[in-house]
Amino acid sequence: MHELIRDITLCILFAWGIGLLAHFSRQPLILAYLIAGFFIGPFGMGWVKSQESISVISELGLIFMLFMIGLEIDLKKIIRAGKVILFAGAGELIVGCLIGVAFFAGIGLAIGGGKFDAIYLCVACALSSTVIIVKVLYEKRELDTLPGRITLGVLVLQDIFAILFLAVQPSLDNLQISVVLLSIARVAVLVATALVLSRYVLPRLFHQIARRPELVLLGALAWCFLIGEIAERLHLSREMGSLVAGVSISTFPYALDVTAKVTTLRDFFITLFFVALGMTIPIPGLQVIWLALVIAAFTVVSRLVTTFTPLYLMKQGLRASLLPAINLAQISEFSLVVIQTGVAANHIGTETANAASFAFVVLAVLSTFAMARSDQIVRGLIGPLKRIGLRDLDHRREGGGESGQEAEGHGDIRRIVILGFFRAASALISQIERQNQSLLEQISVIDFNPLVFRTLTDRGMHVIYGDISNVDTLVHAGIGNAEIIILSVPDFLLVGADNEKLVRHVRALNPTAKVVATADLLTGVDDLYDAGADYVTVTRLSDAGELYSVIEAADAGLLDDKRAELDAQLSDRREVLP
């Protein structure tokens, strides 16, 4: 017992120390935890040698991590997911696994006889890192963009897929129909039990203890371990039970409260899991390094193929098809969980497991850099892809009465041009539809969002698919012929430019047009005027006026009337971006 406490102390101290170095060098913290574990483990300095300690630390961390992953899986969002996300996720997972099994079996890895290295690796390579992706997209403010939403949707589908695999995993060495059906029946009993209790028992209990944070935390832990123990009695695993425990309460009102209170404890045990995982990684031989590089290369190539292809076939355009593929091109921390369950079941060799861990580390570093520079990478790829015959949304097939969109070019631009299309532009178009529909015929929109392109085109508006940060796009679109040019996208959402830079480009191409720009900061208003803008909108001013009118309505007892007025305005709006 004293040895376990000492080992946990070493884990936390070195995870924190190396985590600081990772933070200052902008590297993933998971990478720091793995290095910390390797450093203090039996293959490093040897300060933690007890296999029992390593096993206990790893299992506790794994149970908590899967519980938290389950809490973050919102089944309602999966049901509401559009067909683009569903087809992209299904294509990436199904085709990726089929290609993976064929590839890894082809290079000599086991696929039967009690060993399933190829199967575990294909599943591991099909999953992407939620931790890395969400962190980078959040820092880039791209979570709410179309590629960001597609990426997050695919991540959730990957988690569902991992749950299904963990349900079948104990029976891999005896995959008879009866055995598989028995495993599915056990999972069904576990899920049904968890859902019934979480639907009819837990809400009342959590409602009673909502004002006692310590009881909420203790109740969440009790729920996690209870379902884990039920899973163990059903000959499943505690890890599987903790995942189901999280999913079963993920859509209920108190899930956010539970998540908030368990987060600190989660971070503690997740740290322990990855440190313990690092302890199991030996100094790699050439064979392990080679296999790790093969796994990493296969993951990147297969992700680009299996994610890009379905999105492209669903006419999302080259950019919106490439960005999710780049975002998803790494191995998940959940993949390491899958690999470790395979090691525990003696389904996969330690050399293969070590190679997968090294591949995770390699891709964690490379994908962080690639995602940070994804826009530059995409711009570099679009040209070659077009040259080999892949058509973007700015090029329509000839025949059938349609001509190339690029051919519209000069002279076809309308007198009012909206550069970039986000929520403000969506609201503007809806307002024009209500007040002066004929004005829509005088508007051109330039944007690279495929949803915007299709929706506005279907409504009969003139849309040019293109990147507004690229001067060539503006030239070929004929921006020099416009009379009014509107830039309504805030700086933090612009890719490869900002409003000041765009105003300078537009003014150079069209000295006479009236240019309307958007300022995020009050200090940026003068800069935009200096760049050549004729008028600058500051959305916080209109927001402030609206909020002040709400306060006045509340003080006068007219808030219900104010709300009814807003409801009436919202009732018949047809916005492109809700």
Side-chain angles (χ1 to χ4, degrees):
M1 181 63 183
H2 291 296
E3 189 175 88
L4 177 61
I5 294 174
R6 181 188 68 86
D7 292 344
I8 291 178
T9 301
L10 286 171
C11 289
I12 296 303
L13 285 175
F14 278 87
W16 180 66
I18 299 178
L20 287 176
L21 295 177
H23 170 72
F24 291 124
S25 59
R26 302 181 66 82
Q27 296 301 312
L29 285 178
I30 293 175
L31 176 60
Y33 301 154
L34 291 171
I35 293 174
F38 174 78
F39 185 78
I40 65 177
F43 300 103
M45 300 302 294
W47 294 335
V48 178
K49 298 179 180 178
S50 171
Q51 292 299 318
E52 184 178 354
S53 290
I54 295 173
S55 176
V56 170
I57 292 170
S58 177
E59 185 171 7
L60 280 173
L62 184 54
I63 286 172
F64 276 97
M65 184 169 73
L66 290 175
F67 180 57
M68 293 306 298
I69 289 175
L71 278 173
E72 293 168 1
I73 295 176
D74 191 338
L75 296 179
K76 290 181 180 178
K77 289 184 179 179
I78 292 293
I79 295 172
R80 292 196 302 263
K83 65 177 182 179
V84 170
I85 293 174
L86 292 175
F87 279 107
E92 187 269 318
L93 289 167
I94 296 172
V95 179
C97 285
L98 292 175
I99 295 174
V101 168
F103 175 80
F104 290 119
I107 63 174
L109 294 180
I111 195 174
K115 292 293 183 181
F116 305 97
D117 298 56
I119 292 177
Y120 277 90
L121 280 184
C122 84
V123 172
C125 291
L127 306 178
S128 304
S129 173
T130 301
V131 173
I132 294 172
I133 290 171
V134 172
K135 179 177 181 294
V136 176
L137 291 183
Y138 176 80
E139 290 175 350
K140 293 180 67 181
R141 297 188 176 186
E142 292 183 3
L143 286 171
D144 198 32
T145 63
L146 177 65
R149 291 196 301 272
I150 292 174
T151 301
L152 294 180
V154 173
L155 282 175
V156 177
L157 291 176
Q158 288 179 353
D159 289 340
I160 300 294
F161 171 76
I163 294 172
L164 296 175
F165 178 77
L166 289 177
V168 178
Q169 176 261 338
S171 307
L172 274 180
D173 52 358
N174 188 23
L175 273 183
Q176 300 176 8
I177 295 297
S178 59
V179 174
V180 173
L181 290 177
L182 180 60
S183 296
I184 294 175
R186 288 169 176 165
V187 173
V189 170
L190 177 66
V191 171
T193 302
L195 289 177
V196 169
L197 291 176
S198 66
R199 178 67 179 87
Y200 296 105
V201 179
L202 289 187
R204 297 178 183 177
L205 291 176
F206 274 88
H207 178 73
Q208 294 297 323
I209 63 175
R211 297 178 183 272
R212 301 292 298 273
E214 66 274 18
L215 286 180
V216 172
L217 174 60
L218 193 59
L221 299 181
W223 173 249
C224 173
F225 283 104
L226 171 64
I227 302 302
E229 194 60 32
I230 293 175
E232 184 73 13
R233 297 300 175 90
L234 289 171
H235 301 288
L236 298 169
S237 65
R238 290 188 176 92
E239 290 82 3
M240 176 73 181
S242 65
L243 189 63
V244 172
V247 173
S248 64
I249 62 174
S250 64
T251 58
F252 289 97
Y254 53 82
L256 290 176
D257 193 40
V258 171
T259 303
K261 290 180 172 60
V262 179
T263 295
T264 303
L265 198 60
R266 171 205 65 181
D267 293 340
F268 173 73
F269 281 102
I270 285 178
T271 300
L272 289 183
F273 170 73
F274 284 109
V275 172
L277 183 61
M279 293 180 200
T280 65
I281 301 176
I283 297 174
L286 290 177
Q287 184 64 28
V288 170
I289 293 176
W290 169 248
L291 182 56
L293 293 177
V294 170
I295 293 171
F298 171 79
T299 300
V300 173
V301 173
S302 66
R303 195 76 86 252
L304 289 173
V305 172
T306 59
T307 304
F308 170 82
T309 303
L311 289 172
Y312 179 76
L313 292 177
M314 285 184 286
K315 303 187 185 308
Q316 296 305 298
L318 293 177
R319 183 179 183 277
S321 301
L322 284 169
L323 281 175
I326 294 173
N327 293 341
L328 294 164
Q330 74 284 124
I331 292 176
S332 172
E333 56 279 353
F334 211 159
S335 299
L336 301 184
V337 173
V338 170
I339 293 294
Q340 288 305 303
T341 59
V343 172
N346 200 30
H347 286 169
I348 181 173
T350 54
E351 186 176 275
T352 304
N354 292 335
S357 298
F358 279 108
F360 170 84
V361 171
V362 170
L363 291 175
V365 176
L366 293 180
S367 68
T368 301
F369 286 112
M371 288 179 65
R373 296 161 179 79
S374 59
D375 297 304
Q376 297 95 306
I377 294 172
V378 166
R379 286 194 182 96
L381 290 174
I382 285 178
L385 289 175
K386 285 185 175 181
R387 284 194 290 272
I388 65 174
L390 293 182
R391 292 178 172 178
D392 209 348
L393 296 182
D394 58 358
H395 184 104
R396 295 188 177 182
R397 296 179 184 274
E398 294 185 359
E402 292 183 328
S403 59
Q405 181 78 12
E406 291 177 330
E408 294 185 33
H410 304 282
D412 284 338
I413 199 88
R414 307 299 192 255
R415 73 179 190 89
I416 301 173
V417 177
I418 299 176
L419 288 185
F421 196 95
F422 200 56
R423 293 195 177 112
S426 176
L428 173 62
I429 294 299
S430 180
Q431 193 71 20
I432 293 173
E433 284 182 329
R434 290 160 54 91
Q435 295 187 231
N436 185 6
Q437 183 138 4
S438 62
L439 188 60
L440 295 177
E441 299 175 1
Q442 305 174 45
I443 295 176
S444 292
V445 174
I446 305 178
D447 194 76
F448 52 36
N449 185 329
L451 173 63
V452 169
F453 181 81
R454 286 195 303 273
T455 305
L456 291 181
T457 300
D458 290 343
R459 293 187 185 183
M461 289 189 62
H462 181 237
V463 190
I464 298 173
Y465 180 87
D467 182 357
I468 62 173
S469 67
N470 189 329
V471 178
D472 288 339
T473 298
L474 303 181
V475 172
H476 290 298
I479 200 75
N481 298 323
E483 297 177 14
I484 301 174
I485 301 172
I486 300 173
L487 295 84
S488 63
V489 180
D491 282 345
F492 71 84
L493 284 173
L494 289 172
V495 178
D498 55 36
N499 272 276
E500 183 181 349
K501 181 179 177 181
L502 285 176
V503 169
R504 294 187 187 280
H505 286 165
V506 167
R507 185 54 76 204
L509 296 172
N510 191 332
T512 61
K514 301 301 181 184
V515 178
V516 180
T518 298
D520 293 355
L521 304 174
L522 296 180
T523 54
V525 174
D526 289 337
D527 293 335
L528 289 170
Y529 282 129
D530 292 340
D534 294 287
Y535 186 82
V536 177
T537 64
V538 185
T539 53
R540 68 170 70 178
L541 299 182
S542 56
D543 290 343
E546 175 67 14
L547 290 173
Y548 184 75
S549 69
V550 170
I551 293 175
E552 288 185 321
D555 288 341
L558 301 174
L559 195 57
D560 288 341
D561 294 338
K562 182 75 174 174
R563 177 176 173 177
E565 180 184 336
L566 177 62
D567 290 342
Q569 292 180 27
L570 295 175
S571 63
D572 59 348
R573 293 183 76 89
R574 291 194 311 148
E575 292 216 14
V576 178
L577 301 175

